Amino acid sequence: MAHRIEVALRNSVRDARGERVKREIEHFLHLAVEEVRTLDVYTVDALLSWEELDQAAGGPLCDPVIQDRSIDKPLAGVFDFAVEVGFRPGVTDNVGRTAREAIEYLTGRSFGEGEGVYTAVQYLFTGGLAPADVERIATGLLCNTLIQRYTILSRD
């Protein structure tokens, strides 16, 4: 069964990646956005116990000093739109591969055939964007549609 681990900077910590995306949206797409926050998403598709998942989420996948984590529960707080970008099936996911190796090392066992870890980044947008604007941001800035897939969700 696949499990979803989400890792986000605490609200008190500056999200430099989100700030960079906000600047790029304003500079290249000429759209005004109030704030962009980001989360890292790890889909762990392996037979792991809850304790092993919790160790992975709290250990190699998260810095507990500046980040919060959750397993199978969304971390996204206040947002108007969320865009999640990840690799298409068959495309090499180096961060996912490294996360898998870290979990294998932590648990002391190798993943079996068909098991793996897949990563994505979730971008949370606040302020004044229309659905068409978010689609334009996703396809024009965040996602290379040849190798990546994206999903757009509204707060509603």
Side-chain angles (χ1 to χ4, degrees):
M1 177 180 166
H3 294 276
R4 184 178 170 96
I5 297 173
E6 294 187 5
V7 178
L9 290 168
R10 294 193 171 146
N11 288 333
S12 60
V13 177
R14 180 175 166 240
D15 186 346
R17 179 173 53 178
E19 290 174 2
R20 178 188 50 82
V21 170
K22 178 183 184 301
R23 283 191 311 273
E24 289 176 356
I25 291 167
E26 292 168 346
H27 180 76
F28 294 115
L29 301 178
H30 308 290
L31 295 170
V33 61
E34 185 178 314
E35 183 180 39
V36 179
R37 298 287 294 180
T38 60
L39 300 126
D40 293 313
V41 179
Y42 301 87
T43 302
V44 181
D45 190 7
L47 291 174
L48 297 176
S49 69
W50 182 259
E51 291 77 23
E52 291 170 326
L53 284 168
D54 192 48
Q55 281 182 313
L61 304 183
C62 173
D63 179 347
V65 174
I66 62 169
Q67 293 176 312
D68 292 319
R69 62 186 170 81
S70 73
I71 302 171
D72 295 333
K73 288 187 278 185
L75 269 182
V78 177
F79 66 93
D80 295 325
F81 289 96
V83 176
E84 186 167 301
V85 178
F87 289 106
R88 291 185 180 278
V91 176
T92 300
D93 181 349
N94 288 318
V95 175
R97 180 183 298 161
T98 303
R100 186 196 76 216
E101 291 170 359
I103 294 170
E104 287 175 333
Y105 180 77
L106 182 72
T107 62
R109 71 167 186 87
S110 297
F111 277 32
E113 182 69 30
E115 293 183 323
V117 178
Y118 312 98
T119 61
V121 177
Q122 196 173 88
Y123 301 88
L124 307 174
F125 300 98
T126 306
L129 295 172
D133 295 333
V134 178
E135 180 79 25
R136 192 168 149 219
I137 292 167
T139 58
L141 189 66
L142 301 178
C143 181
N144 176 347
T145 57
L146 292 175
I147 61 169
Q148 294 172 305
R149 51 121 186 117
Y150 69 95
T151 304
I152 298 174
L153 299 170
S154 72
R155 178 185 65 231
D156 300 332

